[in-house]
Amino acid sequence: MQRNIIITGGAGFIGSHVVRLFVNKYADYNIINVDKLTYAGNLENLTDIEDMPNYKFVRADICDFDAMLHLMQDEKVDGIIHLAAESHVDRSIKDPFTFARTNVLGTLSLLQAAKLYWESLTEKYEGKRFYHISTDEVYGALQMTNPEGIEPPFTTTASSSQHHLAYGTDFFYEDTKYMPHSPYSASKASSDHFVRAFHDTYGMPTIVTNCSNNYGPYQSPEKLIPLFINNIRHRKPLPVYGKGENVRDWLYVEDHARAIDIIFHKGTIAETYNIGGFNEWKNIDIIQVVINTVDRILGRKEGEDLNLITYVTDRLGHDARYAIDSTKLQKELGWEPSLQFEEGIEKTVRWYLDHQEWLDNVTSGDYLKYYEKMYG
Ligand code: NAD
Ligand code: TYD
């Protein structure tokens, strides 16, 4: 079936994996990547598919309502997968306005444009879909609890049929109350509410998913894992916030992209799905795995670079623990993470070490100057 789909934020980390998957898998779809190319957008993430006949790139700001409406009309868009966002918590602490603008007003502008366009058609919302990609950070922070005096992480089956390691006894479920703490998560929470409001008020066919921390190729080296891989390579200090005790739940980015594909095609309208791999890690433990992996691959003595660890002032309002329960997605739509964490980290470290030029371009910001010349 022919479909015309806008993917916003397709030049970013997760978006580029989603664009690549859709362009390669669905030859009869028309995939339109809409991205403003902020510091986080990089077309080098997509060089392998940029000449495919079913792919088009449009540089635009999702906050530009007229541009969004005209694009939807011109391309006869019937599906929107919305990833464009300001995504880095530390930046949101310094500059919350940009987060409110892009994440809240940008999402609203897309929703309103889709509403106007789809309601102008004879078939209206039939066969349409507005899929909003969000984060588990909207649920707030979980406690680290220690049942029966067992030292965490402990094995649990509390929240799924699988055994997994956990740092607490509670998890984020689809009906967990929203309690965002950072300006980033507050802006994402607000956008999630707007998406659901457009379903409840106008009947727009929407879906929201909330995913845990992603890792893998093409992630901006301002985020923990690529930043640390790059710093270890160059033997630069590794800034660990606070005591490094915070827990995050990590998912390989291609597993997230596969979940998005399944949910876009088979998910139930108006539902929320949590996406995560039951893979909780303390920051300091993950950092040690990354150091050992980089050292081994570079032929250094394993653990040689542990002395790069530098404890720095904690992030303001730093959430203690995130842990997603994705049982609903696993049971209802049959999705499962495909990679064990050890395998995923090995692949990720090798990718960054093999793509030093990509990292250098991103860290120097050279690609941004190129876009200014090309697109103004
Ligand atoms: P990213 O920062 O790597 O990419 C964001 C992309 O959006 C960039 O290409 C940027 O140029 C584009 N963009 C920003 N503002 C824009 C605007 N006004 N108009 C058009 N394009 C704009 O982000 P990411 O890590 O790939 O995250 C993608 C989405 O997934 C976000 O909505 C984020 O909240 C969500 N998410 C991320 C994670 C994670 O671990 N990275 C986890 C769960 C959910
Ligand atoms: P990050 O990759 O920024 O993702 P998020 O804040 O969305 O979870 O950070 C992951 C964890 O690593 C988080 O607990 C903050 C911590 N962190 C550091 O300790 N040092 C760093 O330099 C960065 C970027 C993050």
Side-chain angles (χ1 to χ4, degrees), residues 53 79 94 147 241 277 320 358:
K94 293 200 188 93
Y241 299 163
W358 182 92

Side-chain angles (χ1 to χ4, degrees), residues 88-89 137 213 222-224 227 239 241 248 283 315 318:
H88 191 41
V89 175
E137 303 190 25
N213 284 60
E222 64 180 356
K223 305 276 171 70
L224 180 77
L227 173 73
Y241 299 163
R248 295 293 182 265
N283 290 341
R315 175 187 277 175
H318 199 170

Side-chain angles (χ1 to χ4, degrees), residues 26-304:
Y26 301 107
D28 46 355
Y29 287 9
N30 172 26
I31 301 296
I32 307 135
N33 172 10
V34 176
D35 199 298
K36 183 181 171 183
L37 300 180
T38 67
Y39 80 95
N42 185 356
L43 290 176
E44 279 181 40
N45 298 357
L46 291 166
T47 43
D48 55 329
I49 56 103
E50 66 188 3
D51 294 328
M52 299 279 277
N54 58 341
Y55 172 73
K56 182 192 276 186
F57 172 68
V58 175
R59 188 181 194 188
D61 186 336
I62 55 165
C63 300
D64 185 343
F65 169 78
D66 290 336
M68 292 303 108
L69 179 60
H70 289 136
L71 185 65
M72 289 179 199
Q73 290 167 333
D74 292 348
E75 298 287 347
K76 299 186 173 37
V77 166
D78 51 32
I80 297 166
I81 304 178
H82 174 36
L83 295 107
E86 288 292 334
S87 69
H88 191 41
V89 175
D90 293 330
R91 283 180 186 257
S92 83
I93 293 168
K94 293 200 188 93
D95 174 21
F97 277 110
T98 309
F99 283 69
R101 181 184 178 276
T102 290
N103 299 359
V104 186
L105 296 179
T107 301
L108 183 55
S109 142
L110 274 178
L111 284 163
Q112 187 68 3
K115 173 180 178 291
L116 242 69
Y117 171 51
W118 288 340
E119 287 189 354
S120 75
L121 304 171
T122 337
E123 79 278 11
K124 302 208 182 292
Y125 289 124
E126 207 185 305
K128 311 296 188 296
R129 188 154 286 207
F130 189 107
Y131 177 5
H132 176 61
I133 309 300
S134 193
T135 164
D136 60 356
E137 303 190 25
V138 297
Y139 297 124
L142 295 166
Q143 295 305 310
M144 315 251 205
T145 46
N146 194 347
E148 295 145 22
I150 306 169
E151 266 307 299
F154 41 80
T155 307
T156 176
T157 51
S159 55
S160 87
S161 51
Q162 303 160 347
H163 280 272
H164 58 276
L165 293 179
Y167 281 85
T169 46
D170 50 354
F171 298 88
F172 295 138
Y173 301 95
E174 282 80 0
D175 59 0
T176 298
K177 198 169 127 197
Y178 273 34
M179 290 252 276
H181 296 132
S182 72
Y184 163 65
S185 53
S187 68
K188 290 297 289 188
S190 172
S191 65
D192 295 8
H193 290 317
F194 269 110
V195 173
R196 295 194 180 102
F198 269 63
H199 170 268
D200 297 349
T201 309
Y202 310 110
M204 183 179 286
T206 60
I207 292 191
V208 176
T209 56
N210 298 87
C211 187
S212 60
N213 284 60
N214 285 213
Y215 71 100
Y218 300 113
Q219 184 169 31
S220 163
E222 64 180 356
K223 305 276 171 70
L224 180 77
I225 292 180
L227 173 73
F228 278 35
I229 296 172
N230 200 31
N231 283 11
I232 298 163
R233 178 182 199 135
H234 296 291
R235 294 219 156 98
K236 288 204 223 149
L238 308 174
V240 179
Y241 299 163
K243 295 184 180 148
E245 299 276 311
N246 304 64
V247 170
R248 295 293 182 265
D249 185 357
W250 294 92
L251 182 69
Y252 191 67
V253 61
E254 287 179 7
D255 280 330
H256 188 188
R258 263 193 322 105
I260 291 173
D261 177 23
I262 294 171
I263 294 163
F264 179 74
H265 290 97
K266 298 196 186 129
T268 306
I269 297 299
E271 287 290 321
T272 295
Y273 298 90
N274 278 352
I275 309 174
F278 293 106
N279 181 42
E280 292 178 51
W281 284 78
K282 251 189 208 176
N283 290 341
I284 194 65
D285 293 338
I286 230 174
I287 289 162
Q288 288 181 6
V289 171
V290 171
I291 292 173
N292 288 338
T293 312
V294 175
D295 281 350
R296 175 169 44 75
I297 294 173
L298 290 181
R300 297 178 186 170
K301 206 165 128 250
E302 197 155 304
E304 187 179 332

Side-chain angles (χ1 to χ4, degrees), residues 352-370:
Y352 285 99
L353 294 179
D354 288 347
H355 290 78
Q356 192 57 45
E357 202 186 337
W358 182 92
L359 270 170
D360 289 344
N361 283 345
V362 176
T363 43
S364 70
D366 273 355
Y367 68 109
L368 293 173
K369 287 175 214 143
Y370 169 77

